[in-house]
């Protein structure tokens, strides 16, 4: 049987600023029931309703999970990293 491999974005670290040695870092992560959260220092807010790829314009590191689809009834998910 053939295997189709797809990847799904589940997290992103963003760098806000012009220099790599200065600026501010925030993160977006997907958690429970496909909800997206924005993490900014001590603040975490649900941003599912406003999240889009345009939100990630300052992306610095992207995190993907690999999904192997052997058939429509059997799906395995492998995480490459954890947030």
């Amino acid at each position: 049987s053939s295997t189709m491999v797809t990847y799904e974005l589940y997290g992103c670290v963003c760098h806000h600023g012009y220099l790599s040695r200065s600026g501010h870092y925030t993160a977006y992560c997907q958690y429970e029931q496909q909800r997206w959260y924005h993490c900014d220092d001590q603040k975490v807010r649900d941003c599912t309703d406003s999240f889009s790829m345009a939100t990630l314009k300052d992306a610095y590191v992207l995190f993907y999970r690999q999904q192997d689809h052997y058939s429509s009834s059997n799906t395995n998910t492998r995480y490459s990293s954890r947030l």
Side-chain angles (χ1 to χ4, degrees):
S1 72
S2 64
T3 301
M4 181 181 76
V5 179
T6 58
Y7 296 89
E8 179 182 19
L9 179 71
Y10 74 96
C12 176
V13 175
C14 296
H15 178 260
H16 310 279
Y18 296 105
L19 301 173
S20 61
R21 288 182 258 158
S22 66
H24 183 69
Y25 291 90
T26 63
Y28 291 90
C29 57
Q30 189 182 52
Y31 188 70
E32 290 185 354
Q33 301 175 353
Q34 307 296 317
R35 306 294 300 174
W36 281 95
Y37 294 89
H38 182 229
C39 306
D40 186 356
D41 292 335
Q42 296 177 350
K43 301 172 192 164
V44 177
R45 68 176 180 84
D46 185 329
C47 64
T48 302
D49 294 337
S50 61
F51 184 81
S52 70
M53 287 307 196
T55 305
L56 305 179
K57 66 180 180 63
D58 294 321
Y60 184 70
V61 178
L62 299 170
F63 295 88
Y64 291 90
R65 61 179 149 236
Q66 178 180 328
Q67 297 181 332
D68 295 330
H69 301 278
Y70 297 105
S71 70
S72 59
S73 63
N74 181 14
T75 303
N76 295 326
T77 302
R78 287 189 227 151
Y79 293 88
S80 60
S81 181
R82 302 246 184 215
L83 291 179

